[in-house]
Amino acid sequence: MQMSTHLRFRFHSGMILPGNRFPLFRGMPQAQAMSTASTLPAARRTNRKLTIRRIAAWIASRATDPGTSLWFVIGFALVHAVLWTLILVKLKAAQDIHMDVAEAYAWGQRFLLGYGKHPPLSGWIAGVWFRIFPVTNWSTYALAMTTVSFALVVCWLIALRVVDRRRAFFMVVMLALYPIFNFKGFKYNADLAQLVPLPLLVLAYLNAFEKRSFKSGLWLGFAGMLALMTKYWVVTMIGAVGLAALIHPQRTQFLRSPAPWVAIGTMAVAMIPHLVWLEEVDFVPFIYAGDVYALSSRALNVQLVVGYVVHNLGLLAIPVVLGLVALLLGSVPWRPSDVLARIWSRGPNPAVNLSQALNVWIIQLIVAIGPPLGALAFTVYIKTDWGIPLFFLVPLALVAIPSLRFPRMALFSITAIWFVATIVTLIAAPSIATQEIASNHVGGSTYAARSELARELTQTWQDRFHSRWAVVVARSDIGEPMTFYSPDHPASLVPGEAWSSGLTSLDEAKRLGFIGVCDTTDPVFLKPCEAWMAEHAKDAEPLVMTTMRFFNGHPGPSTVWKVYLVPPAK
């Protein structure tokens, strides 16, 4: 009993038990001698800290290692595409696809050199996509997210010419948080499709500016051609690239090289087939632009320009603010006295290529201020969606500021913010969809059950004529969804439209027969629609159909359609 009195002491973590002083413990494992009651909670806390640090270290190592960074970014982009496709499927479950998406699908049914309103590339991409994937709502959202995820990878390649790999990955995640690259990018159209060629254009320009070779000029010319074949609006970015080349302090070396002149020549030659098409259709895309977007009201013009600026600044504020939060979180332990020193420090910074950063700053500044100033100067209707492809360089322009410092932990912070925001949106998406249809039960074109109408019209046509439904005559927001949702995928013809897509014609419609559709809820369009039908569908069988969608017990808007069945010519 006396021996036990002498052994009343506490063991501590790291304490050594010399065998010569305590023979009773000789050969006993140290862990058995430690007090588990006092040490396990601390160990668990340490393990949790180490787990976060290990994840942060793993992200940083994969994102900055030249051997793994490319595949890491591609993997991130794929995960982003899959998760946001799932989100959009749930978020838009109560809706039909947007008419722009249906229009792109319709264009992709035939590979033409132009489609009336726009050059052909967005239609070509959709045509290839839907030859691989089914014609369903989810595949349209997958196409949109594939487009923005492709842009993420190309923007990372751009960033590598301007900043180090740590900043480049930080920029990629900032872009993934930019609403255009997630929920605002839900509709694939000619605006979103520009996020394929425009990043390629900037990448080709930075490459040509650096190498100044014949080959780099060829790539730049082809990139310019791809951009112009998407939408003529890209002249804003092409012009910005040209001005950057003229403004940059190293412009003399670049302009004396073959690169810019080879690029101009290559782009001009590559555009010849499309230019021939333009001449054949009497430059109808420019007639469309002049008729639709020219304004006579200066007050409306100013209002639209202000709306464009405010809208795009609001979208950009989200990744900028979240990026700043990630930088601050990455500076833990957070001490007000030294947090600024951790993320801001003057002096030389080898992580930034100032020459290429200057190119990025000039290009982004020009495309930011040029369009609204141009819209004011020429009294043009400027849509907020026209900003979709113009601001993908903003995150890079910010991370390329030499005085900014990016702690390794900042990569974990920005990735964690993206992950939490994505998962929370995924969980909330079904509830949001239910709330939206409840608040849009009296209106909203995407809730008007056009998909149900398409299937009903297809069945009606096949019952009457025992043949494929070939042509639908209706306004674009009605006709294009008929093309997408009908199993027969009829070509769409808009009554009286001067800028026809070229997919069908009135003569073909009369020969093959058509279904005319007029929306009775739109009195502005109803009268001219009825007048057109009275002239061109005199022998039609008139019908009246009503559609309404129900989602989770909530009714959508009820829509009454006037339908005209014109049989095929005998």
Side-chain angles (χ1 to χ4, degrees):
M1 298 297 294
Q2 186 175 0
M3 183 180 66
S4 63
T5 303
H6 291 293
L7 293 176
R8 288 177 183 172
F9 54 86
R10 298 183 65 183
F11 294 99
H12 300 280
S13 176
M15 184 174 180
I16 300 175
L17 303 175
N20 58 349
R21 295 187 59 186
F22 301 99
L24 182 64
F25 294 101
R26 187 179 292 115
M28 180 180 291
Q30 296 292 322
Q32 294 179 13
M34 297 167 64
S35 173
T36 57
S38 61
T39 59
L40 275 180
R44 286 174 183 163
R45 288 194 298 270
T46 303
N47 285 337
R48 281 198 292 268
K49 292 179 182 177
L50 286 176
T51 299
I52 293 176
R53 289 175 181 172
R54 285 172 184 155
I55 294 173
W58 181 81
I59 291 174
S61 66
R62 292 298 184 273
T64 57
D65 185 344
T68 60
S69 55
L70 173 60
W71 292 109
F72 188 67
V73 170
I74 291 174
F76 174 82
L78 287 173
V79 171
H80 180 80
V82 170
L83 288 177
W84 275 97
T85 297
L86 293 174
I87 289 170
L88 291 173
V89 168
K90 295 175 180 293
L91 200 61
K92 305 292 182 179
Q95 305 176 37
D96 289 333
I97 62 169
H98 193 276
M99 62 160 288
D100 286 358
V101 186
E103 182 178 60
Y105 167 79
W107 290 350
Q109 299 307 290
R110 291 176 60 188
F111 291 88
L112 305 179
L113 288 172
Y115 296 104
K117 296 188 294 185
H118 295 304
L121 186 60
S122 61
W124 291 354
I125 294 172
V128 172
W129 180 268
F130 288 108
R131 279 162 174 76
I132 301 171
F133 294 94
V135 185
T136 57
N137 286 15
W138 72 261
S139 61
T140 69
Y141 304 130
L143 172 58
M145 290 300 101
T146 299
T147 300
V148 300
S149 296
F150 174 85
L152 286 178
V153 177
V154 179
C155 287
W156 178 78
L157 295 173
I158 294 171
L160 290 186
R161 297 186 175 274
V162 183
V163 296
D164 64 3
R165 294 175 189 271
R166 180 180 296 184
R167 292 171 183 248
F169 184 73
F170 191 94
M171 179 277 305
V172 166
V173 186
M174 279 186 70
L175 265 183
L177 290 166
Y178 179 34
I180 298 302
F181 282 71
N182 43 73
F183 71 89
K184 279 288 288 181
F186 74 95
K187 59 179 180 181
Y188 174 83
N189 59 10
D191 293 317
L192 194 73
Q194 292 172 73
L195 287 174
V196 173
L198 289 187
L200 289 173
L201 174 68
V202 174
L203 178 62
Y205 167 67
L206 296 184
N207 178 62
F209 193 87
E210 176 185 332
K211 296 183 177 177
R212 301 167 189 164
S213 63
F214 185 93
K215 183 178 179 181
S216 66
L218 282 176
W219 287 118
L220 179 56
F222 282 124
M225 179 272 293
L226 281 177
L228 279 172
M229 291 288 278
T230 309
K231 190 175 181 179
Y232 303 125
W233 177 246
V234 301
V235 296
T236 54
M237 185 68 76
I238 292 175
V241 167
L243 287 173
L246 295 174
I247 295 170
H248 198 283
Q250 298 177 17
R251 57 187 175 273
T252 303
Q253 297 94 311
F254 180 62
L255 295 175
R256 285 180 176 175
S257 74
W261 314 111
V262 170
I264 293 171
T266 301
M267 184 170 65
V269 171
M271 286 296 295
I272 287 176
H274 182 68
L275 294 174
V276 170
W277 173 85
L278 273 176
E279 195 275 332
E280 289 176 349
V281 299
D282 296 324
F283 299 91
V284 69
F286 301 106
I287 297 173
Y288 159 76
D291 288 352
V292 174
Y293 298 112
L295 293 175
S296 57
S297 170
R298 171 59 72 179
L300 178 59
N301 172 239
V302 172
Q303 179 183 347
L304 290 169
V305 169
V306 171
Y308 171 88
V309 172
V310 172
H311 176 82
N312 285 288
L313 284 177
L315 294 179
L316 286 168
I318 295 173
V320 171
V321 170
L322 293 178
L324 179 59
V325 170
L327 274 182
L328 295 175
L329 291 175
S331 301
V332 173
W334 197 88
R335 299 185 184 90
S337 59
D338 64 1
V339 66
L340 184 61
R342 287 174 176 266
I343 64 172
W344 188 269
S345 177
R346 295 186 178 276
N349 190 343
V352 178
N353 182 339
L354 285 177
S355 176
Q356 295 286 38
L358 184 57
N359 271 319
V360 170
W361 294 330
I362 294 172
I363 293 170
Q364 186 57 79
L365 181 63
I366 292 172
V367 296
I369 66 176
L373 291 179
L376 288 173
F378 296 102
T379 321
V380 172
Y381 185 121
I382 185 169
K383 296 173 64 176
T384 55
D385 279 0
W386 290 357
I388 285 175
L390 296 186
F391 298 99
F392 62 88
L393 288 176
V394 168
L396 177 57
L398 294 175
V399 302
I401 297 174
S403 297
L404 272 178
R405 296 297 187 264
F406 289 80
R408 186 176 68 172
M409 195 70 179
L411 298 187
F412 170 80
S413 299
I414 192 74
T415 306
I417 290 171
W418 166 83
F419 181 76
V420 170
T422 300
I423 297 303
V424 167
T425 308
L426 179 63
I427 295 171
S431 299
I432 295 172
T434 302
Q435 292 172 3
E436 284 192 345
I437 193 171
S439 61
N440 285 279
H441 64 280
V442 295
S445 61
T446 56
Y447 294 95
R450 284 164 167 75
S451 56
E452 285 83 350
L453 178 64
R455 287 186 282 270
E456 184 65 27
L457 289 176
T458 304
Q459 188 63 49
T460 301
W461 179 273
Q462 293 177 354
D463 289 344
R464 293 287 200 286
F465 307 113
H466 307 288
S467 63
R468 174 182 170 270
W469 174 23
V471 179
V472 57
V473 178
R475 195 176 56 191
S476 291
D477 62 326
I478 302 170
E480 306 296 1
M482 299 302 107
T483 302
F484 184 86
Y485 285 111
S486 168
D488 288 341
H489 306 300
S492 177
L493 179 67
V494 179
E497 187 176 64
W499 40 85
S500 171
S501 64
L503 296 172
T504 189
S505 65
L506 179 58
D507 290 339
E508 185 175 65
K510 289 181 177 180
R511 178 173 60 85
L512 299 176
F514 64 88
I515 298 179
V517 183
C518 296
D519 182 0
T520 62
T521 63
D522 187 350
V524 175
F525 183 75
L526 180 59
K527 288 184 177 180
C529 181
E530 290 177 328
W532 192 95
M533 297 300 170
E535 179 181 356
H536 299 285
K538 296 177 182 178
D539 300 325
E541 177 187 351
L543 298 173
V544 175
M545 292 186 175
T546 303
T547 59
M548 176 184 286
R549 172 181 289 122
F550 287 85
F551 180 76
N552 288 347
H554 295 275
S558 175
T559 309
V560 178
W561 313 90
K562 284 190 173 183
V563 177
Y564 302 82
L565 294 179
V566 178
K570 295 181 180 179

